[in-house]
Amino acid sequence: SAVISQKPSRDICQRGTSLTIQCQVDSQVTMMFWYRQQPGQSLTLIATANQGSEATYESGFVIDKFPISRPNLTFSTLTVSNMSPEDSSIYLCSVKIPASSYEQYFGPGTRLTVT
Amino acid sequence: AQKVTQAQTEISVVEKEDVTLDCVYETRDTTYYLFWYKQPPSGELVFLIRRNSFDEQNEISGRYSWNFQKSTSSFNFTITASQVVDSAVYFCALSEVGTSYGKLTFGQGTILTVHP
């Protein structure tokens, strides 16, 4: 397994602003994922972030709204830009450990409320 | 396209009852992985089990057991002698090996409430 931390754990933001969420893993991983969980809903993949390449976004998610950085094998950030109340969700990062297996572990999540 | 269905939106039981959470999946791949995760009120997603499509043996871990049946595309989860601490949202998820990055497709989740 892996120890995954996220910052911040929660935040309340005003509409129109941006928030950057950090995800730190205690071991090197090739693939990191960002998921969104809207209130009372299931998890939806936003994008896959591989170190050294551009993030791959799922249908319905765009880079301008959710820019992602992956500067090294243990760290990634997700920015929620120009926020609206509809962006209020839990954002979770996930890693695949090790790269060849299909075990995926999740960070504790970031609870975002947009007012 | 892959799809996961958890038909039970909410289940309520009394402590010590057994409870089964259903999961039905759809995939065109012959090789895939199935997962169960637990999400307690704290919001963190806790990994419970991963099963690959070639291993249909049922698995037991303490009070937890999983029944994988490819013939019916089901991967059901049973909690024996439920406890209040089992109260959580449980998600079933699918990952197709053909998808190079192991994208997880989640079901809608089942809210389990165990009453004392």
Side-chain angles (χ1 to χ4, degrees):
Chain A
S1 64
V3 177
I4 307 168
S5 61
Q6 285 185 234
K7 290 182 181 180
S9 58
R10 61 177 65 229
D11 206 341
I12 301 174
C13 301
Q14 293 189 346
R15 68 176 69 204
T17 62
S18 297
L19 176 71
T20 295
I21 302 168
Q22 300 178 6
C23 179
Q24 180 76 51
V25 189
D26 68 342
S27 57
Q28 294 185 341
V29 295
T30 303
M31 302 177 71
M32 295 180 76
F33 307 85
W34 286 98
Y35 286 81
R36 181 178 74 179
Q37 186 179 23
Q38 295 177 301
Q41 303 297 312
S42 185
L43 285 82
T44 301
L45 180 64
I46 297 172
T48 302
N50 291 339
Q51 197 270 336
S53 63
E54 295 289 325
T56 303
Y57 289 82
E58 296 298 305
S59 175
F61 298 96
V62 295
I63 187 171
D64 290 345
K65 177 67 175 176
F66 297 102
I68 288 172
S69 78
R70 185 77 202 276
N72 57 52
L73 291 173
T74 63
F75 187 78
S76 178
T77 67
L78 169 75
T79 299
V80 186
S81 303
N82 188 24
M83 288 184 284
S84 66
E86 291 71 35
D87 294 319
S88 297
S89 299
I90 300 175
Y91 292 87
L92 300 102
C93 69
S94 173
V95 301
K96 203 173 158 187
I97 303 280
S100 61
S101 82
Y102 280 85
E103 292 189 7
Q104 276 193 244
Y105 296 91
F106 285 79
T110 296
R111 289 180 183 267
L112 171 61
T113 302
V114 183
T115 60
Chain B
Q2 54 191 24
K3 183 180 179 182
V4 177
T5 302
Q6 295 178 253
Q8 303 151 308
T9 304
E10 293 190 51
I11 300 176
S12 182
V13 299
V14 177
E15 207 168 19
K16 297 184 183 179
E17 286 186 18
D18 298 347
V19 57
T20 295
L21 283 60
D22 298 333
C23 173
V24 175
Y25 61 92
E26 296 175 28
T27 177
R28 295 177 184 172
D29 279 12
T30 56
T31 304
Y32 50 89
Y33 288 83
L34 295 163
F35 300 78
W36 275 96
Y37 288 90
K38 173 182 179 180
Q39 188 176 44
S42 62
E44 187 166 355
L45 218 60
V46 178
F47 169 84
L48 295 178
I49 190 172
R50 177 201 59 163
R51 174 64 89 222
N52 72 57
S53 53
F54 296 110
D55 183 2
E56 287 195 69
Q57 281 194 343
N58 292 332
E59 181 159 341
I60 298 175
S61 176
R63 295 184 297 107
Y64 296 168
S65 62
W66 291 270
N67 183 1
F68 176 32
Q69 293 193 342
K70 288 181 73 171
S71 60
T72 56
S73 297
S74 65
F75 186 43
N76 296 337
F77 173 33
T78 297
I79 301 175
T80 303
S82 60
Q83 300 176 1
V84 173
V85 294
D86 295 327
S87 297
V89 182
Y90 290 85
F91 290 98
C92 180
L94 167 71
S95 176
E96 293 175 336
V97 173
T99 305
S100 61
Y101 49 74
K103 166 187 172 182
L104 286 179
T105 298
F106 284 84
Q108 286 304 301
T110 297
I111 301 171
L112 174 64
T113 303
V114 182
H115 299 281

